[in-house]
Amino acid sequence: MARAGMRVRVYERAATVGGGTRTSELTLPGFHHDVCSAVHPMAFASPFFRAFGLAERVEFVIPEVSYAHPLADGTSGIAYRDLDRTVDALGVDGRAWRRLMEPLVRHAADIAGISAGHLLHIPTPLSAAVPLGLAVLEHGTPAWSARFRGRHAPAMIAGLVAHAIQPLPSLAAAATGIVIGAYAHAHGWPIPVGGSQAIADALAAELVRLGGEVVLDHPVSSLAELPPARAVLLDVSARAMLDLAGGAFPPRYERAVRAFRYGPGVAKVDFALSGPVPWTDQELAKAATVHLGGTQAEVQAAERAVARGRHADAPFILASQPSTFDRSRAPQGAHTLWTYTHVPSGSDVDQRETITRAIERLAPGFRDLVVGCRSTTAVDAARYNPNYVGGDIYAGAPSIRQLLKRPVLSADPWRTPLRGVYLCSSSTPPGPGVHGLSGWNAARSALHHEFGVLDDPMGADDSDGADRAGGSDRTGGIAAG
């Protein structure tokens, strides 16, 4: 909106910008932990980030192993950035993995475009949509591993689709997992040097360069508190949007938004370590992301337990070891480890020991390396960011139904019935992830409906965008709760 010539002011509840892309010394001085997001499969794929030039503004490292999935016998499924190397390592399932992933990798850029918008739109081009659709249908149904004969490839698929925090198998989870799985081979899963905060800082710096303003430590509890503006974009959960409006929405719209459901929560544990994780399988040390959950059947059982409101006996755990690749994260010789697991909504159960035991089984001696620890329950996550309702970091369960109705069924779900008020959070399409696309879609809708700007200013230089918008005398407001 600033590139289109609008005067933009951002109100941020916290002391720093970032929301789910913050980095902080959570455990000990000198240990820099990503508070929420850590690894960014969409950093090079998101159409918004490509238009913004994120890769030129933020330094990234791309590990040779995008993700790894260890099993109890000490062996692991390894997703190298190099598809050929992955195929070779998978042995009996290598050819099947290639048949699944190669068409998707070839069309990764088109798939990024398809996943950038709304499921109500017809996906194009068909050369990308067809293999993506077939892969989702295969891995979102009970046939999700029919093509494989070994144990590693099915476990790797399970680890990918479990990112969606949905019961498995499901079409919505498969859509998420297959897309990020393709990116793992197309361009890897990048890590921002210095932490995820670098992404938020780059966006804020560009806004300020364009004349925008960021107001920190400024919670907003009502739309009435905001100054007059032609457009207000709310980067909050759908539930928080209703609270901010204070009953101003039409009853039918409010009922539809109140029917929007939130998913399970997450519990996170950050570790400060005196050395690298001593994995039994040394290939795991090359991975930015490690999925701990065992076989496909074990991951499935864990995710189904959480979906039913129970804590899994052996939960699925995501781990990231950024200091292996970015030495700015920890003091010399020391390391950070980022972990989280899925738990029922509103859980107050500390997962520190559960996660520590799971890692210790695959990395004997891990416990002895821990010099600092910060545990965050789902309740703590919701307290840190009220948009994480019950600890749901996705601002609404990403089921197929709720990807179509996010948070309402509409061709333009970012636009609300209140004149000039738009929702731009992960409660809108395309849903969860660090990609900037929900905000991008909402901004384009606001520019079109409120200011008559038809061309996307991200596709032109600043002066062209301002000219098309009619100069800089128009005022837009963005409120971040």
Side-chain angles (χ1 to χ4, degrees):
M1 295 190 78
R3 284 193 180 188
M6 308 302 152
R7 292 200 303 272
V8 178
R9 179 180 295 162
V10 175
Y11 291 101
E12 168 57 57
R13 173 178 178 266
T16 59
V17 295
T21 50
R22 287 195 176 102
T23 305
S24 182
E25 294 179 325
L26 296 178
T27 57
L28 297 171
F31 290 84
H32 300 277
H33 303 271
D34 287 322
V35 179
C36 299
S37 63
V39 181
H40 298 272
M42 291 291 291
F44 298 163
S46 160
F48 169 74
F49 281 155
R50 292 204 308 269
F52 176 65
L54 182 67
E56 290 74 46
R57 298 170 186 267
V58 174
E59 182 182 357
F60 287 89
V61 290
I62 310 175
E64 64 176 295
V65 175
S66 295
Y67 63 94
H69 194 117
L71 298 180
D73 63 2
T75 63
S76 306
I78 307 292
Y80 296 97
R81 189 174 42 169
D82 185 330
L83 178 58
D84 291 337
R85 190 175 176 188
T86 306
V87 167
D88 291 342
L90 282 173
V92 67
D93 283 329
R95 292 179 63 187
W97 190 267
R98 183 187 297 282
R99 287 194 299 271
L100 171 65
M101 289 295 176
E102 195 166 54
L104 305 174
V105 172
R106 188 184 311 123
H107 296 288
D110 291 328
I111 287 173
I114 291 171
S115 59
H118 199 317
L119 286 184
L120 291 179
H121 299 156
I122 298 174
T124 56
L126 290 179
S127 58
V130 169
L132 175 60
L134 291 174
V136 170
L137 286 173
E138 175 184 348
H139 295 283
T141 65
W144 63 330
S145 283
R147 71 167 64 219
F148 300 124
R149 290 184 286 167
R151 295 186 305 147
H152 294 105
M156 291 164 68
I157 292 293
L160 288 171
V161 301
H163 280 249
I165 320 182
Q166 291 285 295
L168 304 178
S170 75
L171 293 175
T176 297
I178 293 300
V179 168
I180 63 174
Y183 296 157
H185 300 303
H187 46 63
W189 286 5
I191 299 173
V193 172
S196 294
Q197 184 73 50
I199 297 175
D201 288 347
L203 291 163
E206 176 66 1
L207 174 63
V208 171
R209 186 188 75 81
L210 293 168
E213 182 183 0
V214 179
V215 181
L216 300 174
D217 285 314
H218 193 110
V220 175
S221 59
S222 169
L223 294 180
E225 298 174 6
L226 298 172
R230 291 276 295 280
V232 174
L233 278 72
L234 302 174
D235 187 15
V236 300
S237 70
R239 182 179 296 181
M241 174 185 68
L242 296 181
D243 294 338
L244 289 170
F249 285 117
R252 183 177 178 181
Y253 180 83
E254 180 150 345
R255 285 195 300 272
V257 174
R258 291 208 180 278
F260 187 65
R261 297 293 175 234
Y262 296 84
V266 303
K268 183 169 180 282
V269 182
D270 292 285
F271 296 95
L273 307 175
S274 60
V277 179
W279 301 109
T280 299
D281 182 351
Q282 292 299 306
E283 284 296 286
L284 298 182
K286 302 175 183 177
T289 300
V290 182
H291 297 151
L292 295 86
T295 64
Q296 183 185 71
E298 290 168 333
V299 173
Q300 180 185 42
E303 293 304 283
R304 285 187 172 180
V306 172
R308 292 168 180 164
R310 304 197 310 267
H311 290 86
D313 295 332
F316 173 72
I317 298 166
L318 287 93
S320 175
Q321 39 194 6
S323 56
T324 302
F325 313 97
D326 173 11
R327 291 306 307 151
S328 70
R329 304 293 188 98
Q332 183 66 34
H335 285 271
T336 60
L337 183 69
W338 172 106
T339 69
Y340 82 83
T341 189
H342 305 155
V343 295
S345 176
S347 168
D348 61 357
V349 176
D350 188 321
Q351 295 293 315
R352 179 180 338 209
E353 182 58 27
T354 297
I355 291 176
T356 299
R357 281 200 310 267
I359 298 172
E360 181 76 20
R361 284 193 291 269
L362 298 163
F366 167 76
R367 190 185 297 271
D368 298 332
L369 298 175
V370 178
V371 296
C373 185
R374 164 77 173 269
S375 182
T376 304
T377 67
V379 169
D380 295 331
R383 187 178 298 118
Y384 162 75
N385 188 338
N387 297 304
Y388 299 159
V389 178
D392 175 6
I393 58 174
Y394 291 163
S399 63
I400 282 292
R401 183 175 183 272
Q402 291 207 161
L403 291 178
L404 288 167
K405 297 178 64 174
R406 197 161 188 91
V408 297
L409 187 65
S410 169
D412 188 356
W414 307 277
R415 188 185 186 195
T416 79
L418 291 185
R419 178 63 188 272
V421 176
Y422 295 77
L423 184 62
C424 67
S425 71
S426 292
S427 290
T428 65
V434 180
H435 44 57
L437 294 168
S438 297
W440 188 38
N441 288 324
R444 289 191 295 179
S445 179
L447 286 170
H448 171 64
H449 291 291
E450 309 302 329
F451 304 100
V453 178
L454 302 181
D455 295 330
D456 186 347
M458 294 300 292
D461 64 35
D462 300 335
S463 59
D464 287 343
D467 290 342
R468 279 194 301 274
S472 59
D473 59 340
R474 305 181 182 190
T475 301
I478 300 180

